[in-house]
Coordinates of all heavy atoms in Angstrom, one line a residue:
M1 N 0.8 -1.2 0.0 CA 0.0 0.0 0.0 C 0.9 1.2 0.0 O 1.9 1.3 0.7 CB -0.9 0.0 1.2 CG -1.8 1.1 1.3 SD -3.0 0.9 2.7 CE -4.0 2.2 2.3
A2 N 0.5 2.2 -0.8 CA 1.3 3.4 -0.8 C 1.2 4.2 0.4 O 0.1 4.4 1.0 CB 0.8 4.3 -2.0
E3 N 2.3 4.7 0.9 CA 2.3 5.6 2.1 C 2.0 7.0 1.8 O 1.7 7.8 2.6 CB 3.6 5.5 2.8 CG 3.9 4.1 3.4 CD 5.3 4.1 4.0 OE1 5.8 5.1 4.4 OE2 5.8 3.0 4.1
H4 N 2.1 7.4 0.5 CA 2.1 8.7 0.1 C 1.1 8.8 -1.1 O 1.4 8.3 -2.2 CB 3.5 9.2 -0.3 CG 3.6 10.6 -0.9 ND1 3.3 11.7 -0.1 CD2 3.9 11.0 -2.1 CE1 3.5 12.8 -0.9 NE2 3.8 12.4 -2.1
I5 N 0.0 9.5 -1.0 CA -0.9 9.7 -2.1 C -0.7 11.0 -2.7 O -0.7 12.1 -2.1 CB -2.4 9.6 -1.6 CG1 -2.6 8.2 -1.0 CG2 -3.4 9.9 -2.7 CD1 -4.0 8.1 -0.3
I6 N -0.5 11.0 -4.0 CA -0.2 12.2 -4.8 C -1.5 13.0 -4.9 O -2.5 12.5 -5.4 CB 0.4 11.8 -6.2 CG1 1.7 11.0 -6.1 CG2 0.6 13.1 -7.0 CD1 2.8 11.7 -5.5
P7 N -1.5 14.3 -4.5 CA -2.6 15.1 -4.7 C -2.9 15.4 -6.2 O -2.0 15.5 -7.0 CB -2.3 16.4 -4.0 CG -0.9 16.3 -3.5 CD -0.4 15.0 -3.9
H8 N -4.2 15.4 -6.5 CA -4.7 15.7 -7.9 C -5.4 17.1 -7.8 O -6.2 17.4 -6.9 CB -5.7 14.7 -8.3 CG -5.0 13.4 -8.6 ND1 -4.4 12.6 -7.7 CD2 -5.0 12.7 -9.8 CE1 -4.0 11.5 -8.3 NE2 -4.3 11.5 -9.5
F9 N -5.2 17.9 -8.9 CA -5.8 19.2 -9.0 C -6.4 19.3 -10.4 O -5.9 18.7 -11.4 CB -4.8 20.3 -8.7 CG -4.2 20.2 -7.4 CD1 -3.0 19.7 -7.2 CD2 -4.9 20.7 -6.3 CE1 -2.4 19.6 -5.9 CE2 -4.4 20.6 -5.0 CZ -3.1 20.0 -4.8
H10 N -7.4 20.1 -10.6 CA -8.0 20.4 -11.9 C -8.3 21.9 -12.0 O -8.3 22.6 -11.0 CB -9.4 19.6 -12.0 CG -10.4 20.1 -11.0 ND1 -11.3 21.1 -11.4 CD2 -10.7 19.8 -9.8 CE1 -12.1 21.3 -10.4 NE2 -11.7 20.6 -9.4
N11 N -8.5 22.3 -13.2 CA -8.8 23.7 -13.5 C -10.1 23.9 -14.2 O -10.2 24.6 -15.2 CB -7.7 24.4 -14.2 CG -7.8 25.9 -14.2 OD1 -8.7 26.5 -13.5 ND2 -6.9 26.6 -14.9
T12 N -11.1 23.2 -13.8 CA -12.5 23.3 -14.4 C -13.0 24.7 -14.4 O -13.6 25.2 -15.3 CB -13.5 22.3 -13.7 OG1 -12.9 21.0 -13.8 CG2 -14.8 22.4 -14.4
P13 N -12.7 25.5 -13.3 CA -13.2 26.9 -13.3 C -12.4 27.8 -14.3 O -12.9 28.9 -14.6 CB -12.9 27.4 -11.9 CG -12.6 26.2 -11.1 CD -12.1 25.1 -12.0
G14 N -11.3 27.4 -14.8 CA -10.5 28.2 -15.8 C -9.8 29.3 -15.2 O -9.6 30.4 -15.8
V15 N -9.3 29.2 -13.9 CA -8.6 30.3 -13.3 C -7.2 30.4 -13.9 O -6.6 29.3 -14.3 CB -8.6 30.1 -11.8 CG1 -10.0 30.2 -11.2 CG2 -7.9 28.9 -11.3
P16 N -6.5 31.5 -13.9 CA -5.2 31.7 -14.4 C -4.1 31.0 -13.5 O -3.1 30.6 -14.0 CB -5.0 33.2 -14.6 CG -6.0 33.8 -13.7 CD -7.1 32.8 -13.5
V17 N -4.3 31.0 -12.2 CA -3.3 30.5 -11.2 C -4.0 29.7 -10.2 O -5.1 30.1 -9.7 CB -2.5 31.6 -10.6 CG1 -1.5 31.0 -9.6 CG2 -1.8 32.5 -11.6
I18 N -3.5 28.5 -9.9 CA -3.9 27.7 -8.7 C -2.8 27.6 -7.7 O -1.7 27.2 -8.1 CB -4.4 26.3 -9.2 CG1 -5.5 26.4 -10.2 CG2 -4.8 25.5 -8.0 CD1 -5.9 25.1 -10.8
E19 N -3.1 28.0 -6.5 CA -2.1 27.9 -5.5 C -2.3 26.6 -4.8 O -3.5 26.2 -4.5 CB -2.2 29.1 -4.5 CG -1.9 30.4 -5.1 CD -2.1 31.5 -4.1 OE1 -3.0 31.5 -3.3 OE2 -1.3 32.5 -4.2
I20 N -1.2 25.8 -4.5 CA -1.3 24.5 -4.0 C -0.3 24.3 -2.9 O 0.7 25.1 -2.8 CB -1.2 23.4 -5.0 CG1 0.2 23.5 -5.7 CG2 -2.3 23.5 -6.0 CD1 0.5 22.3 -6.7
G21 N -0.5 23.3 -2.0 CA 0.5 23.1 -0.9 C 1.4 21.9 -1.2 O 2.0 21.5 -0.2
A22 N 1.5 21.5 -2.4 CA 2.4 20.3 -2.7 C 3.4 20.6 -3.7 O 3.1 21.4 -4.7 CB 1.5 19.1 -3.2
H23 N 4.6 20.0 -3.6 CA 5.7 20.2 -4.6 C 5.4 19.1 -5.7 O 5.8 19.4 -6.9 CB 7.0 19.9 -4.0 CG 7.6 21.0 -3.2 ND1 8.3 22.0 -3.8 CD2 7.6 21.3 -1.9 CE1 8.7 22.9 -2.9 NE2 8.3 22.4 -1.7
E24 N 4.9 18.0 -5.4 CA 4.6 16.9 -6.4 C 3.1 16.7 -6.4 O 2.4 16.5 -5.4 CB 5.3 15.6 -5.9 CG 6.8 15.7 -5.9 CD 7.4 14.4 -5.4 OE1 6.7 13.6 -4.9 OE2 8.6 14.3 -5.5
F25 N 2.5 16.7 -7.6 CA 1.1 16.6 -7.8 C 0.7 16.1 -9.2 O 1.6 16.0 -10.1 CB 0.4 17.9 -7.5 CG 0.9 19.0 -8.4 CD1 0.1 19.3 -9.5 CD2 2.0 19.7 -8.2 CE1 0.5 20.4 -10.4 CE2 2.5 20.7 -9.0 CZ 1.7 21.0 -10.1
M26 N -0.5 15.8 -9.4 CA -1.1 15.5 -10.7 C -2.0 16.6 -11.2 O -2.9 17.0 -10.4 CB -1.8 14.2 -10.7 CG -1.0 13.0 -10.3 SD 0.0 12.4 -11.6 CE -1.0 11.3 -12.4
C27 N -1.9 17.0 -12.4 CA -2.9 17.9 -13.0 C -3.7 17.0 -14.0 O -3.2 16.2 -14.8 CB -2.2 19.0 -13.9 SG -3.4 20.1 -14.7
V28 N -5.0 17.1 -13.8 CA -6.0 16.4 -14.7 C -6.7 17.3 -15.7 O -7.5 16.8 -16.4 CB -7.0 15.6 -13.8 CG1 -6.2 14.6 -12.9 CG2 -7.9 16.4 -13.1
G29 N -6.4 18.5 -15.7 CA -7.1 19.5 -16.6 C -8.4 19.9 -16.0 O -8.4 20.7 -15.1
E30 N -9.5 19.3 -16.6 CA -10.8 19.5 -16.0 C -11.2 18.3 -15.3 O -10.6 17.2 -15.5 CB -11.8 19.9 -17.2 CG -11.5 21.2 -17.8 CD -12.6 21.7 -18.7 OE1 -13.8 21.4 -18.4 OE2 -12.3 22.3 -19.7
K31 N -12.3 18.4 -14.6 CA -12.9 17.2 -14.0 C -13.3 16.2 -15.0 O -13.8 16.6 -16.1 CB -14.1 17.6 -13.1 CG -13.8 18.2 -11.8 CD -15.1 18.4 -11.0 CE -14.8 18.8 -9.6 NZ -16.1 18.9 -8.9
P32 N -13.1 14.9 -14.7 CA -13.6 13.9 -15.6 C -15.1 14.0 -15.9 O -15.8 14.5 -15.0 CB -13.3 12.6 -14.9 CG -12.2 12.9 -13.9 CD -12.4 14.4 -13.6
P33 N -15.6 13.8 -17.1 CA -14.9 13.1 -18.2 C -14.2 14.0 -19.1 O -13.8 13.6 -20.2 CB -16.1 12.4 -18.9 CG -17.2 13.4 -18.7 CD -17.0 14.0 -17.3
F34 N -14.0 15.3 -18.8 CA -13.4 16.2 -19.7 C -11.9 16.4 -19.4 O -11.3 17.4 -19.8 CB -14.1 17.6 -19.7 CG -15.6 17.4 -20.0 CD1 -16.5 17.6 -19.0 CD2 -16.0 17.1 -21.3 CE1 -17.9 17.4 -19.3 CE2 -17.3 16.9 -21.6 CZ -18.3 17.1 -20.6
D35 N -11.3 15.5 -18.6 CA -9.9 15.6 -18.2 C -8.9 15.3 -19.4 O -9.3 14.7 -20.3 CB -9.6 14.6 -17.0 CG -10.1 13.2 -17.3 OD1 -11.0 13.0 -18.1 OD2 -9.5 12.3 -16.6
H36 N -7.7 15.8 -19.2 CA -6.7 15.5 -20.2 C -5.8 14.4 -19.6 O -6.1 14.0 -18.4 CB -5.8 16.7 -20.5 CG -5.1 17.4 -19.4 ND1 -4.2 16.7 -18.5 CD2 -5.0 18.7 -19.1 CE1 -3.7 17.6 -17.7 NE2 -4.1 18.8 -18.0
P37 N -4.9 13.8 -20.3 CA -4.0 12.8 -19.6 C -3.5 13.3 -18.3 O -3.0 14.5 -18.2 CB -2.9 12.6 -20.7 CG -3.5 12.9 -22.0 CD -4.5 14.1 -21.7
H38 N -3.5 12.5 -17.3 CA -3.1 13.0 -16.0 C -1.6 13.1 -15.9 O -0.8 12.1 -16.2 CB -3.6 12.0 -14.9 CG -5.1 11.9 -14.9 ND1 -5.8 11.2 -14.0 CD2 -6.0 12.5 -15.7 CE1 -7.1 11.3 -14.2 NE2 -7.3 12.1 -15.3
V39 N -1.1 14.3 -15.6 CA 0.3 14.6 -15.7 C 0.9 14.8 -14.3 O 0.4 15.5 -13.5 CB 0.5 16.0 -16.5 CG1 2.0 16.3 -16.6 CG2 -0.1 15.9 -17.9
F40 N 2.0 14.0 -14.1 CA 2.7 14.1 -12.8 C 3.6 15.3 -13.0 O 4.4 15.4 -13.9 CB 3.5 12.9 -12.5 CG 4.3 13.0 -11.3 CD1 3.8 12.9 -10.0 CD2 5.7 13.2 -11.4 CE1 4.6 13.0 -8.9 CE2 6.5 13.3 -10.2 CZ 5.9 13.2 -9.0
I41 N 3.6 16.2 -12.0 CA 4.4 17.4 -12.0 C 5.2 17.5 -10.7 O 4.6 17.3 -9.7 CB 3.6 18.7 -12.2 CG1 2.9 18.6 -13.6 CG2 4.5 19.9 -12.2 CD1 1.9 19.8 -13.8
D42 N 6.5 17.7 -10.8 CA 7.4 17.8 -9.7 C 8.0 19.2 -9.8 O 8.8 19.4 -10.7 CB 8.4 16.7 -9.7 CG 9.3 16.7 -8.4 OD1 9.3 17.8 -7.7 OD2 10.1 15.8 -8.2
M43 N 7.7 20.1 -8.9 CA 8.3 21.4 -8.9 C 9.8 21.5 -8.5 O 10.4 22.4 -8.8 CB 7.5 22.3 -8.0 CG 6.2 22.7 -8.4 SD 5.6 24.0 -7.3 CE 3.8 23.9 -7.6
G44 N 10.2 20.4 -7.9 CA 11.6 20.4 -7.4 C 11.8 21.6 -6.4 O 11.1 21.8 -5.5
D45 N 12.8 22.4 -6.7 CA 13.1 23.6 -5.9 C 12.3 24.9 -6.3 O 12.4 25.9 -5.6 CB 14.6 23.9 -5.9 CG 15.4 22.8 -5.2 OD1 14.9 22.2 -4.3 OD2 16.6 22.7 -5.5
A46 N 11.6 24.8 -7.4 CA 10.9 25.9 -7.9 C 9.6 26.1 -7.1 O 9.2 25.3 -6.3 CB 10.5 25.7 -9.4
R47 N 9.0 27.3 -7.3 CA 7.8 27.6 -6.6 C 6.6 27.7 -7.5 O 5.5 28.0 -7.1 CB 8.0 29.0 -5.8 CG 9.0 28.9 -4.7 CD 9.1 30.1 -3.9 NE 7.9 30.5 -3.2 CZ 7.4 29.9 -2.0 NH1 8.1 29.0 -1.4 NH2 6.3 30.3 -1.5
E48 N 6.9 27.5 -8.8 CA 5.8 27.5 -9.8 C 6.1 26.4 -10.8 O 7.2 26.0 -11.1 CB 5.7 28.8 -10.5 CG 5.3 30.0 -9.7 CD 5.2 31.3 -10.4 OE1 5.8 31.4 -11.5 OE2 4.5 32.2 -9.9
A49 N 5.0 25.9 -11.4 CA 5.1 25.0 -12.5 C 3.9 25.1 -13.4 O 2.8 25.5 -13.0 CB 5.1 23.5 -12.0
I50 N 4.1 24.9 -14.7 CA 3.0 25.0 -15.7 C 2.7 23.6 -16.3 O 3.6 22.9 -16.7 CB 3.4 26.0 -16.9 CG1 3.6 27.4 -16.3 CG2 2.4 26.0 -18.0 CD1 4.1 28.4 -17.3
C51 N 1.4 23.3 -16.3 CA 1.0 22.0 -16.9 C 1.3 22.0 -18.4 O 0.8 23.0 -19.1 CB -0.4 21.7 -16.6 SG -1.0 20.2 -17.4
P52 N 2.0 21.0 -19.0 CA 2.2 21.0 -20.4 C 1.0 20.8 -21.3 O 1.1 21.1 -22.5 CB 3.3 19.9 -20.6 CG 3.1 19.0 -19.4 CD 2.6 19.9 -18.3
Y53 N -0.1 20.3 -20.7 CA -1.3 20.0 -21.5 C -2.2 21.2 -21.5 O -2.7 21.6 -22.5 CB -2.0 18.8 -21.0 CG -1.5 17.5 -21.5 CD1 -0.5 16.8 -20.9 CD2 -2.0 17.0 -22.7 CE1 0.0 15.6 -21.4 CE2 -1.5 15.8 -23.2 CZ -0.5 15.2 -22.6 OH 0.0 14.0 -23.1
C54 N -2.6 21.7 -20.3 CA -3.6 22.8 -20.2 C -3.0 24.2 -19.9 O -3.8 25.1 -19.9 CB -4.6 22.4 -19.2 SG -4.1 22.3 -17.5
S55 N -1.7 24.3 -19.7 CA -1.0 25.5 -19.4 C -1.5 26.2 -18.1 O -1.3 27.4 -18.0 CB -1.2 26.5 -20.6 OG -0.6 25.9 -21.8
T56 N -2.1 25.5 -17.2 CA -2.4 26.0 -15.9 C -1.1 26.3 -15.1 O -0.2 25.5 -15.1 CB -3.3 25.1 -15.1 OG1 -4.5 24.9 -15.8 CG2 -3.6 25.6 -13.7
L57 N -1.1 27.5 -14.5 CA 0.1 27.8 -13.7 C -0.3 27.4 -12.3 O -1.3 27.8 -11.7 CB 0.4 29.3 -13.7 CG 1.4 29.8 -12.8 CD1 2.8 29.2 -13.1 CD2 1.5 31.3 -12.8
F58 N 0.6 26.6 -11.7 CA 0.5 26.1 -10.3 C 1.5 26.8 -9.5 O 2.7 26.9 -9.9 CB 0.6 24.6 -10.2 CG -0.5 23.8 -10.8 CD1 -0.4 23.4 -12.1 CD2 -1.6 23.6 -10.0 CE1 -1.5 22.7 -12.7 CE2 -2.7 22.8 -10.6 CZ -2.6 22.4 -11.9
R59 N 1.1 27.5 -8.4 CA 2.1 28.2 -7.5 C 2.1 27.6 -6.1 O 1.0 27.4 -5.5 CB 1.7 29.7 -7.5 CG 2.6 30.5 -6.7 CD 2.3 32.0 -6.8 NE 2.5 32.4 -8.2 CZ 1.7 33.3 -8.9 NH1 0.6 33.8 -8.2 NH2 1.9 33.6 -10.1
L60 N 3.2 27.3 -5.6 CA 3.3 26.7 -4.3 C 3.0 27.7 -3.2 O 3.5 28.8 -3.2 CB 4.8 26.2 -4.1 CG 5.0 25.5 -2.7 CD1 4.2 24.2 -2.5 CD2 6.5 25.2 -2.6
D61 N 2.2 27.3 -2.3 CA 1.9 28.1 -1.0 C 2.2 27.1 0.1 O 1.3 26.2 0.4 CB 0.5 28.6 -1.0 CG 0.2 29.3 0.3 OD1 1.0 29.3 1.3 OD2 -0.9 30.0 0.3
P62 N 3.3 27.2 0.8 CA 3.7 26.2 1.8 C 2.7 26.2 3.0 O 2.7 25.3 3.8 CB 5.1 26.6 2.2 CG 5.6 27.6 1.3 CD 4.4 28.1 0.5
G63 N 1.9 27.2 3.1 CA 1.0 27.3 4.2 C -0.3 26.5 4.0 O -1.0 26.2 4.9
L64 N -0.5 26.0 2.8 CA -1.6 25.1 2.5 C -1.3 23.7 2.7 O -0.1 23.2 2.6 CB -2.0 25.3 1.0 CG -2.7 26.6 0.6 CD1 -2.8 26.6 -0.9 CD2 -4.0 26.8 1.3
D65 N -2.3 22.9 3.1 CA -2.1 21.4 3.2 C -1.8 20.9 1.8 O -2.2 21.5 0.8 CB -3.5 20.8 3.6 CG -3.4 19.3 3.7 OD1 -3.0 18.8 4.8 OD2 -3.8 18.7 2.8
P66 N -1.0 19.8 1.7 CA -0.6 19.3 0.4 C -1.7 18.9 -0.5 O -1.6 18.9 -1.7 CB 0.3 18.1 0.8 CG 0.8 18.3 2.1 CD -0.3 19.1 2.8
H67 N -2.9 18.6 0.0 CA -4.0 18.3 -0.8 C -5.0 19.4 -1.0 O -6.0 19.2 -1.6 CB -4.8 17.1 -0.2 CG -3.9 15.8 -0.2 ND1 -4.0 15.0 -1.3 CD2 -3.1 15.3 0.7 CE1 -3.1 13.9 -1.1 NE2 -2.6 14.1 0.1
A68 N -4.6 20.6 -0.5 CA -5.5 21.8 -0.6 C -5.1 22.7 -1.8 O -3.9 22.6 -2.2 CB -5.4 22.6 0.7
A69 N -6.0 23.5 -2.2 CA -5.8 24.4 -3.3 C -6.5 25.7 -3.0 O -7.4 25.8 -2.2 CB -6.3 23.8 -4.6
R70 N -6.1 26.7 -3.7 CA -6.7 28.0 -3.7 C -6.9 28.4 -5.1 O -5.9 28.7 -5.8 CB -5.9 29.1 -2.9 CG -6.7 30.3 -2.7 CD -5.9 31.3 -1.8 NE -5.5 30.8 -0.5 CZ -4.3 30.7 -0.1 NH1 -3.3 31.0 -0.9 NH2 -4.0 30.2 1.1
P71 N -8.1 28.5 -5.7 CA -9.4 28.2 -5.1 C -9.6 26.8 -4.7 O -9.1 25.9 -5.3 CB -10.4 28.6 -6.2 CG -9.6 28.6 -7.5 CD -8.2 28.8 -7.1
A72 N -10.3 26.6 -3.6 CA -10.5 25.3 -3.0 C -11.1 24.3 -3.9 O -10.8 23.1 -3.8 CB -11.3 25.4 -1.7
E73 N -12.0 24.7 -4.8 CA -12.7 23.8 -5.7 C -11.8 23.1 -6.7 O -12.1 22.2 -7.4 CB -13.9 24.4 -6.4 CG -13.6 25.5 -7.3 CD -13.6 26.9 -6.7 OE1 -13.5 27.0 -5.5 OE2 -13.7 27.9 -7.5
C74 N -10.5 23.6 -6.8 CA -9.6 23.0 -7.7 C -8.8 21.8 -7.2 O -8.1 21.1 -7.9 CB -8.6 24.1 -8.2 SG -9.3 25.3 -9.2
A75 N -9.0 21.5 -5.9 CA -8.5 20.2 -5.4 C -9.5 19.1 -5.7 O -10.7 19.2 -5.4 CB -8.4 20.4 -3.9
L76 N -9.0 18.1 -6.4 CA -9.8 17.0 -6.8 C -9.8 15.9 -5.7 O -8.9 15.2 -5.4 CB -9.3 16.3 -8.1 CG -10.2 15.3 -8.7 CD1 -11.5 15.9 -9.1 CD2 -9.5 14.7 -9.9
M77 N -10.9 15.9 -4.9 CA -11.0 15.0 -3.8 C -11.8 13.8 -4.0 O -11.6 12.8 -3.4 CB -11.7 15.8 -2.6 CG -10.9 17.0 -2.2 SD -9.3 16.6 -1.7 CE -9.0 17.8 -0.5
E78 N -12.7 13.8 -5.0 CA -13.5 12.6 -5.3 C -12.7 11.5 -6.0 O -11.7 11.9 -6.7 CB -14.8 12.9 -6.0 CG -14.6 13.5 -7.4 CD -14.6 15.0 -7.4 OE1 -14.6 15.6 -6.3 OE2 -14.7 15.5 -8.5
P79 N -13.1 10.3 -5.9 CA -12.3 9.2 -6.7 C -12.4 9.5 -8.2 O -13.3 10.0 -8.7 CB -13.1 7.9 -6.3 CG -13.9 8.3 -5.1 CD -14.1 9.7 -5.1
L80 N -11.3 9.0 -8.9 CA -11.2 9.2 -10.3 C -11.8 8.1 -11.1 O -11.9 8.2 -12.3 CB -9.8 9.4 -10.7 CG -9.1 10.7 -10.2 CD1 -7.6 10.7 -10.6 CD2 -9.8 11.9 -10.7
T81 N -12.4 7.1 -10.5 CA -13.0 6.0 -11.2 C -14.4 6.2 -11.4 O -15.1 6.9 -10.5 CB -12.8 4.7 -10.4 OG1 -13.3 4.8 -9.1 CG2 -11.3 4.3 -10.3
A82 N -15.0 5.7 -12.4 CA -16.4 5.9 -12.7 C -17.3 4.8 -12.1 O -16.8 3.8 -11.7 CB -16.6 5.9 -14.2

């Protein structure tokens, strides 16, 4: 069993920037069924990363929980299976 679950984020609202609390995460584009291929992004030492599929800018906010986002609705909390 995995000890570490990678947070997933989406940009269904179409905001220009999503602030997140994780350095490593998955971008799914929009909520399923309109999602793009799920992309693993590792910011490394950077504080920002751009998704290569949807061009969403993700900005690190260390004050947020790793599974949290600002705007909050951009954190994908429900299961990805249908």
